[in-house]
Structure formats: structure tokens, C-alpha cells
Amino acid sequence: MRVTHVQLPREEAVSYLGACWPPQPGALVTRVSAVGIDHGAVAVHLVDDEPGITWWAVDGLIVPQDAGPAPDLPDCPQETVPEPSPPQPPIS
């Protein structure tokens, strides 16, 4: 497996993700910030010299998107986006 990265401005990467950003609670994401990637395109080539699959990364995360679910990459933990905390009830 070969992984390549093209750095892009955050706003540009977010624009490519469209409705896939921000990730929904319960979504499985890959934390690519663990290997120094923050925003841009991350291409995963399973076989050298063959086309790979490209995912958009924002804020150090690859989220589920049109390319498919977030990939399982070496040295990049996969995490589940937590459910938001319920609002606090008013104090009476």
C-alpha cells in the first residue's frame, strides 16, 4: 500500500466534501493528523503503479464520503464521532 497526500487550504477541502462535512455522530473516521496530515487529498494505492482511491481530509480527519467509508490506514487510528451531549435541563 502506498499513501500520497496533496495539501490544500481547509476551505477548498471542505468545499469538495459538501454534505459529508461535518461528519455525523456515529460515523467512523480515520485520524490522519497522527501522520501529519491536516487538509487536502489523501490517495491510497493498494497496488503500486495502479490508480488508487482518493479521500478528502479536513481537520486531520477522513470522514465517510462519496469515495466510500474512511479507510483503515497504518498508524492512523479509526474513531467513532461521539453523539452530542444532551442539553442541560433548566435549573428551577
Side-chain angles (χ1 to χ4, degrees):
M1 175 190 309
R2 182 171 56 96
V3 178
T4 58
H5 172 245
V6 176
Q7 181 77 23
L8 294 171
R10 182 184 190 278
E11 298 77 26
E12 187 174 351
V14 168
S15 74
Y16 294 130
L17 278 171
C20 297
W21 186 261
Q24 297 297 310
L28 185 66
V29 299
T30 301
R31 184 168 296 283
V32 292
S33 59
V35 292
I37 296 173
D38 53 4
H39 318 294
V42 178
V44 179
H45 308 266
L46 297 178
V47 178
D48 283 344
D49 302 326
E50 288 191 15
I53 299 174
T54 301
W55 283 270
W56 301 110
V58 174
D59 296 340
L61 299 174
I62 296 177
V63 302
Q65 51 198 269
D66 293 340
D72 185 13
L73 300 174
D75 302 318
C76 297
Q78 289 195 306
E79 303 170 4
T80 301
V81 176
E83 295 288 332
S85 299
Q88 295 293 331
I91 299 174
S92 51

